[in-house]
């Protein structure tokens, strides 16, 4: 399954087309529904299994992995703490077992930026006779053109405004992609800008509607179920880069050397450093994920944040070492290493970014 997705990855990167075929393959393998809770008929995959799924998908095509990650984490949250309207979620689950059903939050805004840094959304939900009319623009909505459900974070227009997540079906009248994703890496992730113009939402299709305050802000410490799988996803990218590095080292035989460069001390030393970086990061991420699954009281949210910071650093550094040693071939568009180098640059971009994570870690360290 992952081999076929990997075969399609280069073309998806070139065209930036939505990877529908790859997501269909992942769905048929049961990967898009792995975290649906057992009470809903799913297998209830935990954080460690989710991390391993995304590690494998990230190695094949990180754009596909990131789209899958958003769906998997939404189901995982519902399994741990049900918050969707029950009848609606039951319908989503039924459809999810039949075909790829994609879910993702729409939170980042042009003026607000990432909610990880606080602030009230400018997107507005206007009260109507039958529910809500949602209007506003969101940025970086991964998988936008293929989403079945947008989870739109918005503020009500009531005299005393409330904030909540409004469940908007994909393809609803008034939903439009208004800015195309054209980035260095993860080019097929379809993380477009989406504008909502008076999109109708039934009154009861809202999650967590309440006054704005600490309870409504994004808790950057509490997201271990997303931080660790995301870190694993990008470690998968680094492993793919490592694999090409090894292939190149065995195949490259300079005329003046007479044997593969894999036998030189310089390549062996770099190969060792790359392996140390990735093995250590994977141990941090997978062991941490296992401890989250067992609800170990000794494993803190700060440790999950720290594991992700180190994993991102190690992944980026490992790919950088491979590119640097290969020189021009490492940056040639015809080699997959160039694509892996671009994709791994996206690792530190996900919220909460490193400075926010380190602030949380430092606050805890200074105030144990």
């Amino acid at each position: 399954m992952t081999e076929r997705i990997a075969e399609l990855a280069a073309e998806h990167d070139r065209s930036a087309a939505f990877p529908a075929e790859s997501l269909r393959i992942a769905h048929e393998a049961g990967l898009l529904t792995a975290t649906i809770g057992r009470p809903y008929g799913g297998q209830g995959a935990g954080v460690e299994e989710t991390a391993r799924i995304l590690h494998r998908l990230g190695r094949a095509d990180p754009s596909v992995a990131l789209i899958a990650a958003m769906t998997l984490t939404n189901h995982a949250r519902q399994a741990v703490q049900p918050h969707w309207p029950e009848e609606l979620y039951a319908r989503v689950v039924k459809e999810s077992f039949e075909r790829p059903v994609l879910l993702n939050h729409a939170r980042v805004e042009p003026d607000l930026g990432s909610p990880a840094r606080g602030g009230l959304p400018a997107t507005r939900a206007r009260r109507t006779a039958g529910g809500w009319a949602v209007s506003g623009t969101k940025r970086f909505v991964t998988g936008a053109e293929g989403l079945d459900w947008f989870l739109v974070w918005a503020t009500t227009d009531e005299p005393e405004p409330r904030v909540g997540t409004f469940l908007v079906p994909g393809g609803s009248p008034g939903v439009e992609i208004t800015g195309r994703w054209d980035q260095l890496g993860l080019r097929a992730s379809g993380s477009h800008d989406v504008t909502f113009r008076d999109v109708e939402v039934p009154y009861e299709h809202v999650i967590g509607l309440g006054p704005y305050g600490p309870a409504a802000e994004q808790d950057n410490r509490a997201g271990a179920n997303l931080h660790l799988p995301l870190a694993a996803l990008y470690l998968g990218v680094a492993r793919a880069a490592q694999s090409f590095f090894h292939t190149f080292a065995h195949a490259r035989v300079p005329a003046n050397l007479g044997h593969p460069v894999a036998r030189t001390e310089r390549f062996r030393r770099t190969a060792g450093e790359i392996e140390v970086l990735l093995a250590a990061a994977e141990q941090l991420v997978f062991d941490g994920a296992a401890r989250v699954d067992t609800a170990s009281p000794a494993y803190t949210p700060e440790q999950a944040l720290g594991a992700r910071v180190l994993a991102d650093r190690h992944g980026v550094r490992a790919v950088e070492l491979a590119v640097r040693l290969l020189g021009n071939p490492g940056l040639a568009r015809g080699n997959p290493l160039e694509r892996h180098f671009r994709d791994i640059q996206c690792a530190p971009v996900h919220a909460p970014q490193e400075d926010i994570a380190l602030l949380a870690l430092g606050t805890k360290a200074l105030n144990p």
Side-chain angles (χ1 to χ4, degrees):
M1 178 275 301
T2 51
E3 286 179 4
R4 178 56 182 153
I5 291 175
E7 289 172 359
L8 296 168
E11 179 54 35
H12 287 147
D13 176 76
R14 280 191 292 270
S15 66
F18 183 75
E21 173 65 11
S22 296
L23 287 161
R24 183 191 64 77
I25 295 168
H27 172 264
E28 289 178 354
L31 302 187
L32 298 183
T33 55
T35 54
I36 292 175
R38 295 186 186 279
Y40 303 103
Q43 65 186 67
V47 179
E48 183 184 6
E49 187 174 349
T50 303
R52 294 192 183 279
I53 288 171
L54 294 178
H55 186 267
R56 289 295 298 274
L57 282 176
R59 186 167 182 164
D61 187 338
S63 290
V64 173
L66 188 63
I67 295 169
M70 301 302 110
T71 295
L72 288 170
T73 53
N74 271 292
H75 285 308
R77 290 191 191 103
Q78 178 70 14
V80 172
Q81 187 173 9
H83 53 282
W84 280 63
E86 279 296 321
E87 185 177 336
L88 177 60
Y89 187 69
R91 174 156 59 90
V92 169
V93 168
K94 182 177 183 297
E95 293 177 0
S96 295
F97 287 129
E98 297 169 353
R99 63 177 180 84
V101 172
L102 304 176
L103 324 170
N104 195 9
H105 285 268
R107 292 175 63 84
V108 180
E109 294 184 345
D111 293 330
L112 176 66
S114 171
R117 299 179 185 275
L120 198 65
T123 301
R124 289 288 181 267
R126 177 174 54 82
R127 194 74 174 88
T128 67
W132 307 94
V134 177
S135 297
T137 296
K138 298 294 186 178
R139 303 205 69 194
F140 311 134
V141 185
T142 295
E145 59 200 294
L147 290 181
D148 293 271
W149 290 92
F150 294 88
L151 283 69
V152 183
W153 194 47
T155 307
T156 67
D157 69 342
E158 299 165 308
E160 295 186 11
R162 296 179 290 168
V163 293
T165 300
F166 295 77
L167 303 172
V168 176
S172 296
V175 177
E176 181 185 357
I177 292 175
T178 50
R180 305 297 298 188
W181 172 256
D182 188 17
Q183 302 287 98
L184 180 73
L186 269 66
R187 291 181 48 74
S189 68
S191 302
H192 306 306
D193 295 355
V194 180
T195 296
F196 302 86
R197 295 187 175 92
D198 285 328
V199 180
E200 296 182 6
V201 177
Y203 181 73
E204 65 276 12
H205 287 189
V206 188
I207 295 171
L209 190 61
Y212 181 76
E217 292 182 350
Q218 180 169 313
D219 186 349
N220 296 315
R221 296 171 58 259
N225 64 332
L226 178 59
H227 300 327
L228 296 172
L230 268 182
L233 186 162
Y234 287 103
L235 289 173
V237 177
R239 284 295 189 186
Q242 180 194 42
S243 178
F244 178 79
F245 174 76
H246 289 176
T247 299
F248 179 94
H250 286 292
R252 174 66 173 148
V253 182
N256 65 327
L257 198 59
H259 57 75
V261 293
R263 290 165 56 182
T264 65
E265 185 175 310
R266 183 170 173 235
F267 268 78
R268 285 183 288 131
R269 182 182 296 113
T270 300
E273 186 172 356
I274 290 172
E275 179 59 28
V276 165
L277 288 169
L278 298 185
E282 286 168 351
Q283 184 172 356
L284 274 175
V285 168
F286 293 132
D287 285 2
R291 293 174 72 182
V292 172
D293 284 337
T294 59
S296 169
Y299 194 76
T300 66
E302 287 77 15
Q303 285 175 291
L305 281 174
R308 190 185 140 201
V309 167
L310 285 176
D312 288 351
R313 287 180 178 180
H314 283 203
V316 171
R317 177 60 177 159
V319 180
E320 181 184 86
L321 285 168
V323 170
R324 183 176 298 177
L325 193 56
L326 266 61
N328 276 330
L331 292 175
R333 292 295 295 270
N335 284 337
L337 184 57
E338 181 268 348
R339 170 164 48 90
H340 302 323
F341 177 75
R342 287 188 285 105
D343 287 340
I344 200 73
Q345 306 310 314
C346 298
V349 172
H350 291 286
Q353 293 174 348
E354 185 172 300
D355 64 312
I356 296 292
L358 292 176
L359 178 62
L361 286 160
T363 300
K364 175 68 173 179
L366 291 170
N367 301 280

